[in-house]
Amino acid sequence: MFRHEDGRSLHPEHEPETDIHKALKERKARTWRSVGGEVKLEVWRPRARRRPDVVAVGPVLTVAGEVQHSKVAPGDIRARQKALHKAGDRVVWTTDRSADDIAFLHPVPHLSVPALSDYHLYLTEPRLEIGAGAITFEAQRCGWADLWTGTNRCPVTRKAVPCGRMHLYPTFNPRSYSREKAATTAVFPCGPRPHLDHLLEGILHGSWLPYRHRDRVTWIPATSHMEVAAERGGTLELAEGGSAPRRDRTNERACERRYGTAVVQGDAPEAENWSPCCGEKPPGRAGQPLVPACKLCRNSPTYYRRDELYREAAQA
């Protein structure tokens, strides 16, 4: 993490800002000023108890811009994201690290630009193309290869059998990006690929919104956000909150998560009448108690030590 230029930092061990950090911060501020934002650098946010690199007040939104050149712990990123979000800011993180080296930024709305040899180029280059963090969509018939899931399953039903309807699929098709140019009167219109200035303008004006798919947050066009959220779930709060996916769930079997384990041993039906459970079909038969019935469950006809139980019962 970097110490702000004025030297006011609660953590004196933090390093001073690098030239790359300063250049990207100035690029953000300059872009937001060009599109009508009221911009302040390193202003103290009392509710967040943080000092973001850039704050831009637009006609609808207040956006905090953070530049992260060095690699830090994901927990630190999430903590800063949560604080700024609770203060009412929509946050956009920018980094010049390559797309395969920004896993620590995946839980927050981020944009990755290419690493340039000279920091002056971050201010003089007309277009800094986005390498990761933003994507558009194209409408295709159900069964299209889904970049986000890596399958051809329906994004609504999650089944392998196509539903026959049209869905929005994430795409890197240049034509999909060029349509965003025709749909906006942006000062920085979208070209063959999305670039930093266009995304920053769209974020401030609300034409690009963060969306969380699995454990990664991506900026997507606002025109697609409602339909994508309706098909795949998710909310703005989930994308902006900075929370990590919960992995503290107890190690239950699939049948226990779906049907519960409140089964009394004395009320369980005879083993010969049970239906084996593979995690996809409900155990038990109609009118009988639901029983966890997989190979590791003592109540299952497929229990791997079933023979030992039979011998114990015969000896008793």
Side-chain angles (χ1 to χ4, degrees), residues 3 5 22 28 40 49 81 90 110 138 144 168 178 180 185 196 203 212 228 235 239 247 270 274 276 303 306 309-310:
R3 183 172 68 247
E5 289 181 326
K22 296 176 185 178
K28 277 188 169 183
K40 295 181 180 180
R49 299 185 63 82
Q81 172 75 22
R90 178 163 291 168
H110 61 280
E138 59 179 315
W144 193 259
L168 289 181
S178 62
E180 297 300 318
T185 57
L196 181 62
I203 291 168
R212 180 171 179 170
V228 172
T235 62
R247 303 186 185 278
E270 292 296 328
W274 298 347
Y303 181 49
R306 174 63 56 189
L309 295 181
Y310 285 155

Side-chain angles (χ1 to χ4, degrees), residues 264-275:
V264 179
Q265 178 68 24
D267 296 335
E270 292 296 328
E272 287 75 9
N273 295 328
W274 298 347
S275 299

Side-chain angles (χ1 to χ4, degrees), residues 90-102:
R90 178 163 291 168
V91 191
V92 52
W93 295 75
T94 305
T95 183
D96 65 335
R97 303 180 71 90
S98 60
D100 58 353
D101 196 25
I102 57 171

Side-chain angles (χ1 to χ4, degrees), residues 217-246:
V217 178
T218 302
W219 293 98
I220 68 175
T223 53
S224 305
H225 192 279
M226 183 176 295
E227 184 174 347
V228 172
E231 290 185 343
R232 301 171 181 261
T235 62
L236 280 175
E237 179 66 28
L238 186 64
E240 294 182 308
S243 59
R246 293 195 59 180

Side-chain angles (χ1 to χ4, degrees), residues 25-41:
K25 182 173 64 174
E26 178 58 31
R27 179 70 177 248
K28 277 188 169 183
R30 189 180 66 183
T31 299
W32 278 330
R33 288 195 189 99
S34 301
V35 297
E38 181 183 345
V39 178
K40 295 181 180 180
L41 298 178

Side-chain angles (χ1 to χ4, degrees), residues 7-25:
R8 291 174 298 193
S9 175
L10 298 177
H11 305 282
E13 72 277 7
H14 288 181
E15 299 178 1
E17 293 179 352
T18 63
D19 291 332
I20 293 176
H21 187 101
K22 296 176 185 178
L24 284 173
K25 182 173 64 174

Side-chain angles (χ1 to χ4, degrees), residues 168-184:
L168 289 181
Y169 288 92
T171 180
F172 293 112
N173 186 351
R175 293 184 179 180
S176 178
Y177 292 116
S178 62
R179 294 191 191 102
E180 297 300 318
K181 178 180 179 180
T184 182

Side-chain angles (χ1 to χ4, degrees), residues 65-229:
E66 290 280 39
V67 176
Q68 192 60 44
H69 173 65
S70 60
K71 192 172 183 179
V72 298
D76 295 336
I77 297 293
R78 292 195 297 268
R80 195 170 183 87
Q81 172 75 22
K82 287 180 181 179
L84 291 171
H85 173 56
K86 289 180 180 178
D89 297 339
R90 178 163 291 168
V91 191
V92 52
W93 295 75
T94 305
T95 183
D96 65 335
R97 303 180 71 90
S98 60
D100 58 353
D101 196 25
I102 57 171
F104 66 101
L105 286 176
H106 286 172
V108 297
H110 61 280
L111 295 172
S112 171
V113 298
L116 303 179
S117 56
D118 186 352
Y119 72 92
H120 293 96
L121 295 176
Y122 291 107
L123 295 173
T124 59
E125 189 70 26
R127 291 176 182 266
L128 295 176
E129 291 191 351
I130 301 299
I135 201 166
T136 54
F137 297 83
E138 59 179 315
Q140 294 290 347
R141 187 73 62 183
C142 185
W144 193 259
D146 195 330
L147 290 177
W148 281 353
T149 64
T151 68
N152 296 84
R153 290 181 176 271
C154 174
V156 177
T157 65
R158 309 295 194 272
K159 295 181 179 179
V161 179
C163 68
R165 293 180 293 177
M166 300 290 289
H167 303 298
L168 289 181
Y169 288 92
T171 180
F172 293 112
N173 186 351
R175 293 184 179 180
S176 178
Y177 292 116
S178 62
R179 294 191 191 102
E180 297 300 318
K181 178 180 179 180
T184 182
T185 57
V187 176
F188 300 99
C190 190
R193 288 187 55 82
H195 56 95
L196 181 62
D197 296 329
H198 173 77
L199 264 296
L200 292 177
E201 179 183 4
I203 291 168
L204 184 64
H205 291 172
S207 59
W208 285 80
L209 300 175
Y211 179 78
R212 180 171 179 170
H213 59 96
R214 295 189 175 180
D215 60 347
R216 183 176 301 190
V217 178
T218 302
W219 293 98
I220 68 175
T223 53
S224 305
H225 192 279
M226 183 176 295
E227 184 174 347
V228 172

